[in-house]
Amino acid sequence: MPATPVDLRFEHHTDPAPVVGCRAPRLSWVVPDAEPGYRQHGYAVRLTRGDGSTREIEVAGADQVLVPWPDRPLAARERVRVAVRVRGEVWSPWSEPATVAAGLLDPADWVARLVSPRTLGGLDAPAPVLRGELTVPGAVADARLYITAHGIYRAELNGRRVGDHVLAPGWTSYPHRLRYQAFDVTELVRPGGNVLEALLGNGWYRGRLGFKGGRALYGDRLALLAQLEVTTVDGHRHVLATDGAWTARQSGVLADDLYDGQRTDARHRHAGPPDPVDVLDTDLTRLVAADGPPVRVTGTIPAARVFTAPSGATLVDFGQNLVGWVLLRVRDGEPAAEVTVRHAEVLDGGELAVRPLRTARATDSYLLAGGDEVLEPSLTFHGFRYAEITGVSGLRAEDLHAVVIGTDLRRTGHFECSHPLLNRFHDNVVWSARGNFLDVPTDCPQRDERLGWTGDVQVFAPSACFLFDCAGFLGSWLADLAAEQYDDGSVPFVVPDVLRDGHPAAAAWGDAAVLVPWVVHQRTGDLGLLARHLPSMRAWVDCVARLAGPQRLRTGGFQFGDWLDPAAPPEDPFAAAADPDVVATAYLARSAQVVAEAAALLGDDCAPRYAELAAEVRAAFARAYVTGNGRVRSDAPTVYALALVFDLLPTAEQRHQAGERLADLVRANGFHTATGFVGTPLIMDALVGAGQVDVAYRLLLQTGCPSWLYPVTMGATTVWERWDSLLPDGSVNPGEMTSFNHYALGAVADWLHRGMAGLAPAAPGYRALEIRPRPGPGVSWAAARHRTPYGEAAVSWRRDGGELHLELVVPVGSTATVHVPGRSAPQQVEHGRHTWRVPDPLTLSTVPVQPTEA
């Protein structure tokens, strides 16, 4: 009998009792255990509606991931309790019920209107607080708050904080999509008078955005939209909605900005007459419910040490580069005394290195109320490891904590191996993803940028989708990408688009429109997401194909190319060894092929046309850029990696020669990295696929500069933007762009999971696994585990005494094709635990050892 299903989910939500923005949310669950040979023949769904009615619906089939909603659609505000059970030869027990609720699904569901302070809360004025009151005439049965803002909000109901979201409602393409949040506030509402207040900050809507100095790019007025719906025990609904009766007052937040920080007067008390509000005309069709988890506080880190800089400044080291803010406890403070907290990622000459921040001030300051108090901001964030504190005497490490924030993504993937530096590097990748996955996938979290660069997330998406359950997060961002895409199919460099650079068509960056939805589909099995984004995917490929013309070669025009090739000088990151035309044409071939495959999966009759386009581009690439002996134009590691991994070389001999040439280039470069953003995610696959495993491992494990492990030897705790953001002498790279928290060069983590450990999907959503570990010199064991949509899959291998021990766990509902090192034929296995012992292929042993399985 199968075990009781667990982890019942709705769409891609990982929070319990999610509020969804659709009427028919899909269901997924995990069967944690089952007897050998188990097959799911069907499932049953039990739905309990708000009126107490219950219905059980049986469905035949083996699906358990993103199955269709089986009953009548949800109505706005409706909550339903759902349980499932599965059938093999017999039925499993029922799962624990999970609750799903529909949000406000239509503009007509909103009676609230967007309101803005009339005279308070100007662009350079203190942050305003908006206030509304509701009298509840009886005992409360249920209360829900639907809320969003132009700007960011922090809400309180009867003096108690609503929810645990940070920087809500987050950042979307505001002209097209404004996300709202829904909270169950039943415990906060009381009979009689109730007061709802919301502090508004500038956030992304009105604060500084981008390196061009832009401010108030979306509008110059902060505003709130809130609808509190209270149902009393007599069944009547009472509503408090933002309207002209609301008022505003000034808060103690004197200034706030995501780049510059927050200034707070802790002495502030409510005073002065209330300010009226204006009702703004706004398009409520923009309102959307969340697709994934919000930004939250995800942890705290105590200060590692407090010390004195050469200048005499008091510095704090938190031991980890992170994203968030400093929580500071002040004892016996003097009223009106000022405390200042400045932030930086590294030190230079023993002082805060603030030059990499460019114009971002990254400073929080406070005017003390006096006595003992705890200081922390709520309307800003910083990327930092170090802080400089002024205005506090006798500061102790126990007085300080770093508050870590980010989109609260569920961790799904883990990796470790016998090489400690490689383990630290992988940890750094995780920290950089956590810090930069802050409502949108940003490039960096500290300087005057923090934008959703398409190229960065395009190369990193495979690693991200292994490490975290980020389908909802990336799905929301992709909806913004499609909304921001130009009519001609070109894709902005950043999403949401605040650079507004015309109609850009940069290879590898714009290809995010195709490759990110493809990766999400491959890792989650979400065919619906692929269907939603196929028009956007096609539009991008059509745009580039027009630019390529009948020759099918993408030449000229603006390109980032192999951005930040380590050979490029600090002042010219474009100066890569790889020819940008080769890069652009290779990406056109790849994206056209992906669109063809996506369309075929969806049954769209455009599939043959894109398959033909991909074939034409591959042929043009080979004619224009590849010699008969496999040399690729510009003869750089990145162009060989592209040609090999994207299957752009027509003959086996060309592929062999290109692999040999790539290995020769790596050797000639002393096994140091020679790739930028484009080549870095591909080069390990290219080398290993060419049979150059030893060369690949020497490249991977190099510790000299530039290399993946060089930053680790320099004390890095996140991935750097440049291979040498910190120079060997400990000084900061003189380039204008020198971030110490960028995930793009950490994209090789995907190969650690798939290649070294050997855990990869062979079918969308890991319905089938591809187990192909690649042991190599310098690593004696490796392990990876991933929480697939079907449950946890795990692979580990260990070299010991001339043998290689391989262990595998396959979740129920999946199968695996296992390529045991040293064996020619793969083996098919089903769910359960499997083990093998074979001669270690690295010792050239020929003594056969039979596998054992449990």
Side-chain angles (χ1 to χ4, degrees):
M1 182 174 73
T4 304
V6 298
D7 194 20
L8 179 55
R9 313 181 298 286
F10 304 95
E11 292 295 326
H12 293 293
H13 290 275
T14 54
D15 279 2
V19 175
V20 298
C22 58
R23 299 181 185 275
R26 297 168 295 174
L27 314 177
S28 304
W29 60 85
V30 167
V31 178
D33 191 25
E35 68 276 7
Y38 163 78
R39 299 284 189 282
Q40 178 184 302
H41 299 305
Y43 60 89
V45 182
R46 177 191 288 162
L47 303 105
T48 303
R49 301 273 180 169
D51 60 5
S53 63
T54 297
R55 187 178 180 206
E56 293 182 8
I57 301 167
E58 292 187 15
V59 181
D63 292 338
Q64 65 184 80
V65 174
L66 297 170
V67 305
W69 181 256
D71 199 16
R72 72 176 189 271
L74 296 172
R77 306 176 179 87
E78 185 179 13
R79 275 188 280 196
V80 178
R81 286 169 60 83
V82 181
V84 300
R85 62 175 179 169
V86 297
R87 177 172 58 84
E89 297 303 320
V90 296
W91 284 103
S92 75
W94 286 99
S95 72
E96 288 293 319
T99 299
V100 63
L104 302 185
L105 303 176
D106 188 271
D109 297 324
W110 291 86
V111 295
R113 291 298 177 262
L114 205 65
V115 298
S116 177
R118 181 168 299 169
T119 63
L120 300 179
L123 193 55
D124 294 305
V129 176
L130 272 67
R131 175 188 175 99
E133 299 181 13
L134 176 68
T135 299
V136 177
V140 177
D142 180 74
R144 283 176 260 182
L145 173 65
Y146 306 93
I147 184 170
T148 189
H150 282 176
I152 53 179
Y153 71 84
R154 182 183 175 99
E156 292 185 352
L157 185 52
N158 296 325
R160 296 167 63 187
R161 184 178 171 190
V162 174
D164 57 2
H165 297 194
V166 174
L167 305 176
W171 187 15
T172 51
S173 175
Y174 297 126
H176 305 98
R177 301 172 67 249
L178 177 60
R179 189 189 301 127
Y180 71 88
Q181 286 74 44
F183 299 99
D184 185 335
V185 293
T186 306
E187 298 301 316
L188 303 183
V189 178
R190 61 198 179 203
N194 293 267
V195 175
L196 175 62
E197 292 191 322
L199 170 69
L200 296 183
N202 293 310
W204 296 275
Y205 187 86
R206 200 177 70 170
R208 286 214 286 152
L209 272 181
F211 44 79
K212 295 182 177 181
R215 196 175 177 207
L217 296 182
Y218 295 102
D220 60 2
R221 295 190 73 171
L222 301 179
L224 179 72
L225 183 75
Q227 190 160 308
L228 173 64
E229 300 183 348
V230 180
T231 303
T232 47
V233 292
D234 60 8
H236 289 93
R237 180 185 296 165
H238 309 272
V239 178
L240 170 64
T242 45
D243 59 17
W246 280 56
T247 60
R249 62 176 173 82
Q250 184 173 298
S251 76
V253 177
L254 305 182
D256 66 276
D257 186 83
L258 298 181
Y259 293 176
D260 293 333
Q262 180 172 320
R263 180 167 175 79
T264 307
D265 186 348
R267 303 168 301 171
H268 179 80
R269 297 293 180 267
H270 304 175
D275 190 47
V277 299
D278 292 327
V279 177
L280 305 184
D281 183 25
T282 188
D283 179 10
L284 296 183
T285 64
R286 296 180 300 143
L287 295 172
V288 294
D291 295 313
V295 177
R296 289 190 174 105
V297 172
T298 60
T300 58
I301 296 178
R305 64 184 180 119
V306 175
F307 59 103
T308 303
S311 65
T314 299
L315 300 182
V316 184
D317 179 6
F318 290 97
Q320 172 64 53
N321 198 17
L322 57 93
V323 176
W325 57 73
V326 172
L327 184 151
L328 170 62
R329 182 179 299 277
V330 175
R331 294 179 171 85
D332 298 322
E334 292 292 329
E338 183 165 357
V339 172
T340 302
V341 183
R342 300 171 65 221
H343 305 78
E345 295 185 294
V346 295
L347 303 178
D348 198 359
E351 307 287 347
L352 285 190
V354 296
R355 180 177 60 81
L357 301 178
R358 299 194 299 218
T359 66
R361 294 182 60 242
T363 300
D364 297 328
S365 60
Y366 308 88
L367 298 172
L368 300 183
D372 294 350
E373 49 194 309
V374 175
L375 308 177
E376 62 176 330
S378 60
L379 302 177
T380 190
F381 70 90
H382 312 286
F384 67 100
R385 172 176 172 170
Y386 298 93
E388 178 188 284
I389 314 292
T390 58
V392 181
S393 59
L395 189 66
R396 299 176 295 184
E398 55 265 35
D399 296 331
L400 296 135
H401 283 78
V403 177
V404 183
I405 69 167
T407 297
D408 192 13
L409 300 172
R410 180 170 68 172
R411 181 77 183 271
T412 54
H414 301 265
F415 167 86
E416 59 181 342
C417 69
S418 61
H419 199 292
L421 294 182
L422 202 55
N423 288 337
R424 178 67 248 191
F425 169 76
H426 191 268
D427 288 345
N428 293 357
V429 173
V430 173
W431 273 101
S432 282
R434 279 211 178 276
N436 281 294
F437 277 19
L438 199 157
D439 210 62
V440 301
T442 60
D443 58 328
C444 62
Q446 74 298 95
R447 67 185 180 218
D448 55 355
E449 193 164 354
R450 314 183 197 186
L451 305 177
W453 283 95
T454 50
D456 297 51
V457 72
Q458 185 270 122
V459 300
F460 190 69
S463 297
C465 287
F466 182 91
L467 294 170
F468 299 101
D469 188 340
C470 53
F473 169 79
L474 290 177
S476 177
W477 182 79
L478 285 168
D480 285 326
L481 185 152
E484 299 270 26
Q485 194 168 9
Y486 291 94
D487 290 342
D488 65 357
S490 55
V491 173
F493 298 147
V494 299
V495 173
D497 183 16
V498 296
L499 298 182
R500 302 172 184 174
D501 285 326
H503 292 243
W509 274 248
D511 290 279
V514 174
L515 301 181
V516 175
W518 182 248
V519 167
V520 174
H521 165 257
Q522 290 292 296
R523 300 303 177 92
T524 67
D526 189 347
L527 201 60
L529 179 140
L530 209 56
R532 288 195 301 276
H533 290 285
L534 184 63
S536 170
M537 297 163 73
R538 292 180 59 183
W540 166 252
V541 171
D542 291 347
C543 171
V544 181
R546 287 193 300 272
L547 293 171
Q551 299 302 313
R552 297 307 192 210
L553 296 174
R554 179 72 204 283
T555 59
F558 175 84
Q559 296 291 342
F560 289 103
D562 194 23
W563 182 252
L564 287 175
D565 177 331
E571 69 279 3
D572 188 7
F574 293 93
D579 187 306
D581 293 348
V582 176
V583 171
T585 304
Y587 262 96
L588 173 56
R590 173 61 178 156
S591 284
Q593 183 62 40
V594 166
V595 169
E597 294 178 22
L601 285 173
L602 295 166
D604 193 302
D605 59 11
C606 73
R609 177 161 66 86
Y610 288 98
E612 181 180 2
L613 172 62
E616 291 172 355
V617 177
R618 285 194 296 268
F621 182 97
R623 287 193 304 269
Y625 301 139
V626 184
T627 68
N629 64 357
R631 289 291 180 98
V632 182
R633 178 170 160 177
S634 66
D635 196 35
T638 287
V639 298
Y640 289 104
L642 286 165
L644 289 164
V645 176
F646 288 0
D647 194 21
L648 303 176
L649 304 172
T651 70
E653 181 60 23
Q654 285 175 315
R655 292 191 291 272
H656 173 74
Q657 293 293 339
E660 292 287 337
R661 180 57 182 165
L662 175 59
D664 286 344
L665 290 172
V666 174
R667 292 188 193 97
N669 201 40
F671 301 96
H672 292 92
T673 53
T675 52
F677 277 26
V678 169
T680 294
L682 306 175
I683 192 165
M684 292 296 291
D685 279 303
L687 287 168
V688 171
Q692 303 288 342
V693 176
D694 287 7
V695 174
Y697 267 79
R698 290 192 66 179
L699 175 68
L700 178 69
L701 302 181
Q702 169 65 255
T703 58
C705 183
S707 68
W708 283 292
L709 299 186
Y710 162 73
V712 179
T713 68
M714 297 295 288
T717 60
T718 43
V719 177
W720 295 349
E721 178 178 21
R722 296 177 179 268
W723 296 104
D724 59 348
S725 285
L726 206 63
L727 302 180
D729 65 2
S731 62
V732 175
N733 188 296
E736 179 187 359
M737 300 180 311
T738 309
S739 160
F740 294 88
N741 195 351
H742 253 69
Y743 51 63
L745 297 181
V748 72
D750 182 54
W751 185 85
L752 298 179
H753 311 145
R754 290 184 299 101
M756 181 184 288
L759 176 55
Y766 293 85
R767 186 67 181 263
L769 307 177
E770 177 88 4
I771 308 302
R772 192 190 292 265
R774 297 284 194 172
V779 177
S780 60
W781 62 266
R785 52 190 171 91
H786 178 63
R787 187 174 183 170
T788 79
Y790 294 90
E792 186 167 277
V795 179
S796 64
W797 56 261
R798 174 171 50 87
R799 298 169 50 218
D800 183 23
E803 291 182 337
L804 184 137
H805 303 252
L806 175 63
E807 295 189 6
L808 167 64
V809 176
V810 180
V812 177
S814 294
T815 60
T817 300
V818 185
H819 300 264
V820 180
R823 292 191 171 180
S824 57
Q827 183 175 344
Q828 304 294 319
V829 299
E830 298 186 344
H831 65 265
R833 184 178 297 273
H834 309 272
T835 64
W836 291 263
R837 292 173 58 197
V838 297
D840 184 351
L842 271 64
T843 65
L844 302 180
S845 172
T846 59
V847 180
V849 180
Q850 295 299 315
T852 61
E853 298 189 24

